[in-house]
Amino acid sequence: MGEPVGPAQDEPQIDWRRLEEVQLTPILSASLDAFYELGYHGTTVREVARRVGVTVPALYYHHENKEGLLIALLELSTADVLARAHAADADGGDDPVQRLANVVEAIVLRMTTRPRLASLEGEVRYLSAENRQRYRAVRKGIEEVVLQIVEAGAESGAFDVDDPAEITRAILGMCQSIPRWYHAEGTLSPQEVARKYVAIAMKIVGAK
Amino acid sequence: MGEPVGPAQDEPQIDWRRLEEVQLTPILSASLDAFYELGYHGTTVREVARRVGVTVPALYYHHENKEGLLIALLELSTADVLARAHAADADGGDDPVQRLANVVEAIVLRMTTRPRLASLEGEVRYLSAENRQRYRAVRKGIEEVVLQIVEAGAESGAFDVDDPAEITRAILGMCQSIPRWYHAEGTLSPQEVARKYVAIAMKIVGAK
């Protein structure tokens, strides 16, 4: 399943609670809009070029093809959430409870503030087998962060779990479903949703 | 948000644990295949007609347009899960613990055995505003089933929850994410996944 995914040794500390927009090039920004509005298959490279105001050859100078645009967006998106999850985990020190609380908070903040990027997930099945594999390896990295915390808590007796892998998927699953119902104009702030989901995650792991 | 959604008075009892395939007409079956492989926007009515072996006018005789095909599939799918959830709930009698266990089991069985239908969810955002509203009202019906159980358990003291609506969304969210990782050829049977998710749901509601 490829290289293990983790933070580089000299990675600068990022502020995982800060919710600035992901920086996208104009081409990727237009691609994200088009994929969201028209779907991956409904989007043409010509349409993206039109939105950016560049020629199709100019676009091909930066990205190999339409799949290349989707991959670039998915990689930015997963790299961002992975870096935040690692930083949030590190901030929790040695305490599994604090580590899990931080990582769930980081993931929920990202789901509530970047629903369009998060919704690209659904287009992954259209990638070529090779690229799908590559993308899943990165996603696996996020699962690994949570799994290691759940296992550490089970070992130390801080959590009461008998199937860490299943518990990890359930926690990530409830977080990943947030973009289905969350609306920025609703009554709950991202921070409130995060607080509630941290409390639910604690129940799932049976934190003492 | 439209009519309240519930079982009809004289609805025959369905066996919510039985996992037969949803019966689809040849046109809807081909539409489901095409939407899954090519995405909603990547599918043309001509492509569906070609797969079924009928002419485009023959297809239009049954369905108004491409959106009509997606709506028909979504309605079949949500009506199926709603009927199963109601039957599972009724089977639990007056006991909130048994009612919740049954409904989570019914939903998980459906997510593990019908991942293609379940994945149509992602295409809902492409519906016209009116149809999106109609579809969400039906989905709301499923949320209502779970919410009523969680509230009943909170009132009776069987559950320990302070925010039934949020707890309901978290439980449904973890179930709806199952198609992202579940593969029929994997090591877990649908029944095993259901058993694990019932146990997790019990932790989330703090069942006594």
Side-chain angles (χ1 to χ4, degrees), chain B residues 169-195:
Chain B
R169 280 197 294 248
I171 292 173
L172 286 173
M174 76 177 183
C175 296
Q176 282 157 352
S177 287
I178 291 174
R180 290 180 195 236
W181 59 265
Y182 184 77
H183 298 285
E185 64 276 17
T187 52
L188 289 173
S189 70
Q191 287 76 12
E192 283 167 326
V193 180
R195 197 173 43 74

PDB file of all heavy atoms in Angstrom, chain B residues 169-195:
ATOM      1  N   ARG B 169     -27.788  12.242  14.526  1.00  0.00           N
ATOM      2  CA  ARG B 169     -26.988  12.480  13.308  1.00  0.00           C
ATOM      3  C   ARG B 169     -25.668  11.733  13.361  1.00  0.00           C
ATOM      4  O   ARG B 169     -25.185  11.238  12.344  1.00  0.00           O
ATOM      5  CB  ARG B 169     -26.748  13.976  13.117  1.00  0.00           C
ATOM      6  CG  ARG B 169     -27.945  14.663  12.501  1.00  0.00           C
ATOM      7  CD  ARG B 169     -27.554  16.018  11.958  1.00  0.00           C
ATOM      8  NE  ARG B 169     -27.164  16.904  13.037  1.00  0.00           N
ATOM      9  CZ  ARG B 169     -27.855  17.983  13.410  1.00  0.00           C
ATOM     10  NH1 ARG B 169     -28.970  18.291  12.778  1.00  0.00           N
ATOM     11  NH2 ARG B 169     -27.451  18.742  14.382  1.00  0.00           N
ATOM     12  N   ALA B 170     -25.060  11.653  14.550  1.00  0.00           N
ATOM     13  CA  ALA B 170     -23.784  10.940  14.672  1.00  0.00           C
ATOM     14  C   ALA B 170     -23.973   9.449  14.385  1.00  0.00           C
ATOM     15  O   ALA B 170     -23.182   8.834  13.669  1.00  0.00           O
ATOM     16  CB  ALA B 170     -23.185  11.155  16.060  1.00  0.00           C
ATOM     17  N   ILE B 171     -25.043   8.870  14.921  1.00  0.00           N
ATOM     18  CA  ILE B 171     -25.298   7.437  14.693  1.00  0.00           C
ATOM     19  C   ILE B 171     -25.565   7.183  13.212  1.00  0.00           C
ATOM     20  O   ILE B 171     -24.992   6.267  12.605  1.00  0.00           O
ATOM     21  CB  ILE B 171     -26.495   6.955  15.559  1.00  0.00           C
ATOM     22  CG1 ILE B 171     -26.105   6.973  17.044  1.00  0.00           C
ATOM     23  CG2 ILE B 171     -26.941   5.561  15.132  1.00  0.00           C
ATOM     24  CD1 ILE B 171     -27.252   6.687  17.994  1.00  0.00           C
ATOM     25  N   LEU B 172     -26.428   7.998  12.608  1.00  0.00           N
ATOM     26  CA  LEU B 172     -26.715   7.805  11.185  1.00  0.00           C
ATOM     27  C   LEU B 172     -25.477   8.066  10.342  1.00  0.00           C
ATOM     28  O   LEU B 172     -25.230   7.379   9.356  1.00  0.00           O
ATOM     29  CB  LEU B 172     -27.869   8.714  10.742  1.00  0.00           C
ATOM     30  CG  LEU B 172     -29.242   8.259  11.227  1.00  0.00           C
ATOM     31  CD1 LEU B 172     -30.303   9.305  10.903  1.00  0.00           C
ATOM     32  CD2 LEU B 172     -29.623   6.921  10.594  1.00  0.00           C
ATOM     33  N   GLY B 173     -24.682   9.054  10.732  1.00  0.00           N
ATOM     34  CA  GLY B 173     -23.461   9.392   9.988  1.00  0.00           C
ATOM     35  C   GLY B 173     -22.483   8.240   9.944  1.00  0.00           C
ATOM     36  O   GLY B 173     -21.943   7.913   8.892  1.00  0.00           O
ATOM     37  N   MET B 174     -22.255   7.598  11.078  1.00  0.00           N
ATOM     38  CA  MET B 174     -21.294   6.493  11.051  1.00  0.00           C
ATOM     39  C   MET B 174     -21.822   5.343  10.195  1.00  0.00           C
ATOM     40  O   MET B 174     -21.060   4.682   9.497  1.00  0.00           O
ATOM     41  CB  MET B 174     -20.910   6.044  12.472  1.00  0.00           C
ATOM     42  CG  MET B 174     -21.928   5.224  13.181  1.00  0.00           C
ATOM     43  SD  MET B 174     -21.346   4.652  14.819  1.00  0.00           S
ATOM     44  CE  MET B 174     -22.785   3.667  15.285  1.00  0.00           C
ATOM     45  N   CYS B 175     -23.158   5.137  10.208  1.00  0.00           N
ATOM     46  CA  CYS B 175     -23.734   4.071   9.372  1.00  0.00           C
ATOM     47  C   CYS B 175     -23.635   4.423   7.886  1.00  0.00           C
ATOM     48  O   CYS B 175     -23.321   3.572   7.049  1.00  0.00           O
ATOM     49  CB  CYS B 175     -25.203   3.842   9.733  1.00  0.00           C
ATOM     50  SG  CYS B 175     -25.454   3.231  11.407  1.00  0.00           S
ATOM     51  N   GLN B 176     -23.898   5.687   7.552  1.00  0.00           N
ATOM     52  CA  GLN B 176     -23.879   6.095   6.146  1.00  0.00           C
ATOM     53  C   GLN B 176     -22.483   6.090   5.548  1.00  0.00           C
ATOM     54  O   GLN B 176     -22.321   6.065   4.331  1.00  0.00           O
ATOM     55  CB  GLN B 176     -24.508   7.491   6.004  1.00  0.00           C
ATOM     56  CG  GLN B 176     -26.029   7.419   6.060  1.00  0.00           C
ATOM     57  CD  GLN B 176     -26.663   8.732   6.475  1.00  0.00           C
ATOM     58  OE1 GLN B 176     -25.964   9.671   6.864  1.00  0.00           O
ATOM     59  NE2 GLN B 176     -27.976   8.797   6.418  1.00  0.00           N
ATOM     60  N   SER B 177     -21.463   6.124   6.391  1.00  0.00           N
ATOM     61  CA  SER B 177     -20.091   6.089   5.870  1.00  0.00           C
ATOM     62  C   SER B 177     -19.617   4.671   5.570  1.00  0.00           C
ATOM     63  O   SER B 177     -18.554   4.492   4.985  1.00  0.00           O
ATOM     64  CB  SER B 177     -19.127   6.728   6.878  1.00  0.00           C
ATOM     65  OG  SER B 177     -19.304   8.123   6.879  1.00  0.00           O
ATOM     66  N   ILE B 178     -20.377   3.679   5.956  1.00  0.00           N
ATOM     67  CA  ILE B 178     -19.941   2.293   5.759  1.00  0.00           C
ATOM     68  C   ILE B 178     -19.597   1.972   4.300  1.00  0.00           C
ATOM     69  O   ILE B 178     -18.572   1.336   4.043  1.00  0.00           O
ATOM     70  CB  ILE B 178     -20.989   1.309   6.339  1.00  0.00           C
ATOM     71  CG1 ILE B 178     -20.988   1.420   7.870  1.00  0.00           C
ATOM     72  CG2 ILE B 178     -20.717  -0.122   5.898  1.00  0.00           C
ATOM     73  CD1 ILE B 178     -22.074   0.614   8.569  1.00  0.00           C
ATOM     74  N   PRO B 179     -20.420   2.412   3.319  1.00  0.00           N
ATOM     75  CA  PRO B 179     -20.069   2.067   1.931  1.00  0.00           C
ATOM     76  C   PRO B 179     -18.694   2.581   1.486  1.00  0.00           C
ATOM     77  O   PRO B 179     -18.147   2.105   0.504  1.00  0.00           O
ATOM     78  CB  PRO B 179     -21.189   2.726   1.104  1.00  0.00           C
ATOM     79  CG  PRO B 179     -22.330   2.875   2.048  1.00  0.00           C
ATOM     80  CD  PRO B 179     -21.707   3.112   3.403  1.00  0.00           C
ATOM     81  N   ARG B 180     -18.125   3.562   2.203  1.00  0.00           N
ATOM     82  CA  ARG B 180     -16.799   4.072   1.829  1.00  0.00           C
ATOM     83  C   ARG B 180     -15.706   3.047   2.027  1.00  0.00           C
ATOM     84  O   ARG B 180     -14.667   3.102   1.380  1.00  0.00           O
ATOM     85  CB  ARG B 180     -16.409   5.270   2.704  1.00  0.00           C
ATOM     86  CG  ARG B 180     -17.206   6.500   2.443  1.00  0.00           C
ATOM     87  CD  ARG B 180     -16.709   7.591   3.380  1.00  0.00           C
ATOM     88  NE  ARG B 180     -17.651   8.674   3.432  1.00  0.00           N
ATOM     89  CZ  ARG B 180     -17.358   9.943   3.154  1.00  0.00           C
ATOM     90  NH1 ARG B 180     -16.146  10.280   2.805  1.00  0.00           N
ATOM     91  NH2 ARG B 180     -18.275  10.871   3.232  1.00  0.00           N
ATOM     92  N   TRP B 181     -15.887   2.171   3.013  1.00  0.00           N
ATOM     93  CA  TRP B 181     -14.806   1.229   3.310  1.00  0.00           C
ATOM     94  C   TRP B 181     -15.230  -0.224   3.223  1.00  0.00           C
ATOM     95  O   TRP B 181     -14.388  -1.105   3.119  1.00  0.00           O
ATOM     96  CB  TRP B 181     -14.220   1.505   4.702  1.00  0.00           C
ATOM     97  CG  TRP B 181     -15.215   1.398   5.825  1.00  0.00           C
ATOM     98  CD1 TRP B 181     -15.920   2.434   6.389  1.00  0.00           C
ATOM     99  CD2 TRP B 181     -15.637   0.221   6.515  1.00  0.00           C
ATOM    100  NE1 TRP B 181     -16.755   1.963   7.377  1.00  0.00           N
ATOM    101  CE2 TRP B 181     -16.600   0.606   7.482  1.00  0.00           C
ATOM    102  CE3 TRP B 181     -15.300  -1.132   6.420  1.00  0.00           C
ATOM    103  CZ2 TRP B 181     -17.223  -0.298   8.332  1.00  0.00           C
ATOM    104  CZ3 TRP B 181     -15.928  -2.037   7.271  1.00  0.00           C
ATOM    105  CH2 TRP B 181     -16.868  -1.623   8.207  1.00  0.00           C
ATOM    106  N   TYR B 182     -16.537  -0.504   3.246  1.00  0.00           N
ATOM    107  CA  TYR B 182     -16.962  -1.893   3.288  1.00  0.00           C
ATOM    108  C   TYR B 182     -16.877  -2.537   1.904  1.00  0.00           C
ATOM    109  O   TYR B 182     -17.322  -1.978   0.916  1.00  0.00           O
ATOM    110  CB  TYR B 182     -18.403  -1.995   3.783  1.00  0.00           C
ATOM    111  CG  TYR B 182     -18.844  -3.437   3.934  1.00  0.00           C
ATOM    112  CD1 TYR B 182     -18.441  -4.185   5.012  1.00  0.00           C
ATOM    113  CD2 TYR B 182     -19.623  -4.045   2.955  1.00  0.00           C
ATOM    114  CE1 TYR B 182     -18.822  -5.518   5.147  1.00  0.00           C
ATOM    115  CE2 TYR B 182     -20.006  -5.368   3.069  1.00  0.00           C
ATOM    116  CZ  TYR B 182     -19.596  -6.092   4.171  1.00  0.00           C
ATOM    117  OH  TYR B 182     -19.963  -7.411   4.280  1.00  0.00           O
ATOM    118  N   HIS B 183     -16.276  -3.714   1.852  1.00  0.00           N
ATOM    119  CA  HIS B 183     -16.255  -4.467   0.598  1.00  0.00           C
ATOM    120  C   HIS B 183     -16.827  -5.848   0.860  1.00  0.00           C
ATOM    121  O   HIS B 183     -16.415  -6.525   1.802  1.00  0.00           O
ATOM    122  CB  HIS B 183     -14.834  -4.596   0.062  1.00  0.00           C
ATOM    123  CG  HIS B 183     -14.242  -3.271  -0.251  1.00  0.00           C
ATOM    124  ND1 HIS B 183     -14.598  -2.539  -1.365  1.00  0.00           N
ATOM    125  CD2 HIS B 183     -13.360  -2.497   0.427  1.00  0.00           C
ATOM    126  CE1 HIS B 183     -13.946  -1.400  -1.359  1.00  0.00           C
ATOM    127  NE2 HIS B 183     -13.188  -1.337  -0.289  1.00  0.00           N
ATOM    128  N   ALA B 184     -17.770  -6.241   0.025  1.00  0.00           N
ATOM    129  CA  ALA B 184     -18.477  -7.508   0.238  1.00  0.00           C
ATOM    130  C   ALA B 184     -17.492  -8.672   0.289  1.00  0.00           C
ATOM    131  O   ALA B 184     -17.715  -9.665   0.966  1.00  0.00           O
ATOM    132  CB  ALA B 184     -19.510  -7.717  -0.865  1.00  0.00           C
ATOM    133  N   GLU B 185     -16.351  -8.518  -0.428  1.00  0.00           N
ATOM    134  CA  GLU B 185     -15.383  -9.624  -0.466  1.00  0.00           C
ATOM    135  C   GLU B 185     -14.414  -9.583   0.726  1.00  0.00           C
ATOM    136  O   GLU B 185     -13.500 -10.394   0.814  1.00  0.00           O
ATOM    137  CB  GLU B 185     -14.627  -9.633  -1.801  1.00  0.00           C
ATOM    138  CG  GLU B 185     -13.757  -8.424  -2.082  1.00  0.00           C
ATOM    139  CD  GLU B 185     -14.557  -7.260  -2.673  1.00  0.00           C
ATOM    140  OE1 GLU B 185     -15.799  -7.243  -2.575  1.00  0.00           O
ATOM    141  OE2 GLU B 185     -13.922  -6.353  -3.223  1.00  0.00           O
ATOM    142  N   GLY B 186     -14.622  -8.638   1.642  1.00  0.00           N
ATOM    143  CA  GLY B 186     -13.748  -8.531   2.820  1.00  0.00           C
ATOM    144  C   GLY B 186     -14.046  -9.613   3.844  1.00  0.00           C
ATOM    145  O   GLY B 186     -14.775 -10.566   3.572  1.00  0.00           O
ATOM    146  N   THR B 187     -13.478  -9.456   5.045  1.00  0.00           N
ATOM    147  CA  THR B 187     -13.590 -10.524   6.049  1.00  0.00           C
ATOM    148  C   THR B 187     -14.844 -10.413   6.914  1.00  0.00           C
ATOM    149  O   THR B 187     -15.246 -11.382   7.537  1.00  0.00           O
ATOM    150  CB  THR B 187     -12.362 -10.506   6.983  1.00  0.00           C
ATOM    151  OG1 THR B 187     -12.205  -9.176   7.489  1.00  0.00           O
ATOM    152  CG2 THR B 187     -11.107 -10.896   6.231  1.00  0.00           C
ATOM    153  N   LEU B 188     -15.464  -9.221   6.953  1.00  0.00           N
ATOM    154  CA  LEU B 188     -16.631  -9.044   7.817  1.00  0.00           C
ATOM    155  C   LEU B 188     -17.931  -9.269   7.044  1.00  0.00           C
ATOM    156  O   LEU B 188     -18.126  -8.691   5.980  1.00  0.00           O
ATOM    157  CB  LEU B 188     -16.648  -7.633   8.401  1.00  0.00           C
ATOM    158  CG  LEU B 188     -15.608  -7.285   9.472  1.00  0.00           C
ATOM    159  CD1 LEU B 188     -15.680  -5.806   9.810  1.00  0.00           C
ATOM    160  CD2 LEU B 188     -15.825  -8.119  10.725  1.00  0.00           C
ATOM    161  N   SER B 189     -18.821 -10.091   7.597  1.00  0.00           N
ATOM    162  CA  SER B 189     -20.140 -10.256   6.986  1.00  0.00           C
ATOM    163  C   SER B 189     -21.007  -9.054   7.361  1.00  0.00           C
ATOM    164  O   SER B 189     -20.721  -8.369   8.351  1.00  0.00           O
ATOM    165  CB  SER B 189     -20.793 -11.536   7.493  1.00  0.00           C
ATOM    166  OG  SER B 189     -21.137 -11.372   8.858  1.00  0.00           O
ATOM    167  N   PRO B 190     -22.066  -8.785   6.576  1.00  0.00           N
ATOM    168  CA  PRO B 190     -22.977  -7.696   6.938  1.00  0.00           C
ATOM    169  C   PRO B 190     -23.487  -7.847   8.375  1.00  0.00           C
ATOM    170  O   PRO B 190     -23.596  -6.857   9.100  1.00  0.00           O
ATOM    171  CB  PRO B 190     -24.119  -7.854   5.924  1.00  0.00           C
ATOM    172  CG  PRO B 190     -23.477  -8.454   4.722  1.00  0.00           C
ATOM    173  CD  PRO B 190     -22.434  -9.393   5.267  1.00  0.00           C
ATOM    174  N   GLN B 191     -23.753  -9.082   8.795  1.00  0.00           N
ATOM    175  CA  GLN B 191     -24.276  -9.304  10.151  1.00  0.00           C
ATOM    176  C   GLN B 191     -23.234  -8.935  11.212  1.00  0.00           C
ATOM    177  O   GLN B 191     -23.591  -8.405  12.267  1.00  0.00           O
ATOM    178  CB  GLN B 191     -24.702 -10.771  10.320  1.00  0.00           C
ATOM    179  CG  GLN B 191     -25.987 -11.148   9.581  1.00  0.00           C
ATOM    180  CD  GLN B 191     -25.784 -11.321   8.066  1.00  0.00           C
ATOM    181  OE1 GLN B 191     -24.646 -11.371   7.588  1.00  0.00           O
ATOM    182  NE2 GLN B 191     -26.869 -11.388   7.324  1.00  0.00           N
ATOM    183  N   GLU B 192     -21.960  -9.217  10.939  1.00  0.00           N
ATOM    184  CA  GLU B 192     -20.911  -8.862  11.904  1.00  0.00           C
ATOM    185  C   GLU B 192     -20.757  -7.353  12.019  1.00  0.00           C
ATOM    186  O   GLU B 192     -20.599  -6.814  13.118  1.00  0.00           O
ATOM    187  CB  GLU B 192     -19.574  -9.495  11.494  1.00  0.00           C
ATOM    188  CG  GLU B 192     -19.499 -10.988  11.831  1.00  0.00           C
ATOM    189  CD  GLU B 192     -18.322 -11.683  11.148  1.00  0.00           C
ATOM    190  OE1 GLU B 192     -17.975 -11.299  10.005  1.00  0.00           O
ATOM    191  OE2 GLU B 192     -17.768 -12.607  11.750  1.00  0.00           O
ATOM    192  N   VAL B 193     -20.771  -6.670  10.859  1.00  0.00           N
ATOM    193  CA  VAL B 193     -20.685  -5.208  10.899  1.00  0.00           C
ATOM    194  C   VAL B 193     -21.871  -4.654  11.680  1.00  0.00           C
ATOM    195  O   VAL B 193     -21.712  -3.776  12.533  1.00  0.00           O
ATOM    196  CB  VAL B 193     -20.657  -4.603   9.467  1.00  0.00           C
ATOM    197  CG1 VAL B 193     -20.569  -3.081   9.540  1.00  0.00           C
ATOM    198  CG2 VAL B 193     -19.486  -5.150   8.675  1.00  0.00           C
ATOM    199  N   ALA B 194     -23.057  -5.205  11.430  1.00  0.00           N
ATOM    200  CA  ALA B 194     -24.263  -4.718  12.120  1.00  0.00           C
ATOM    201  C   ALA B 194     -24.113  -4.902  13.633  1.00  0.00           C
ATOM    202  O   ALA B 194     -24.410  -3.991  14.410  1.00  0.00           O
ATOM    203  CB  ALA B 194     -25.498  -5.458  11.614  1.00  0.00           C
ATOM    204  N   ARG B 195     -23.617  -6.047  14.050  1.00  0.00           N
ATOM    205  CA  ARG B 195     -23.458  -6.320  15.480  1.00  0.00           C
ATOM    206  C   ARG B 195     -22.510  -5.292  16.122  1.00  0.00           C
ATOM    207  O   ARG B 195     -22.773  -4.753  17.184  1.00  0.00           O
ATOM    208  CB  ARG B 195     -22.920  -7.748  15.660  1.00  0.00           C
ATOM    209  CG  ARG B 195     -23.078  -8.329  17.049  1.00  0.00           C
ATOM    210  CD  ARG B 195     -22.670  -9.807  17.087  1.00  0.00           C
ATOM    211  NE  ARG B 195     -21.433 -10.103  16.348  1.00  0.00           N
ATOM    212  CZ  ARG B 195     -20.203  -9.790  16.756  1.00  0.00           C
ATOM    213  NH1 ARG B 195     -20.027  -9.167  17.891  1.00  0.00           N
ATOM    214  NH2 ARG B 195     -19.145 -10.096  16.010  1.00  0.00           N
TER     215      ARG B 195
END
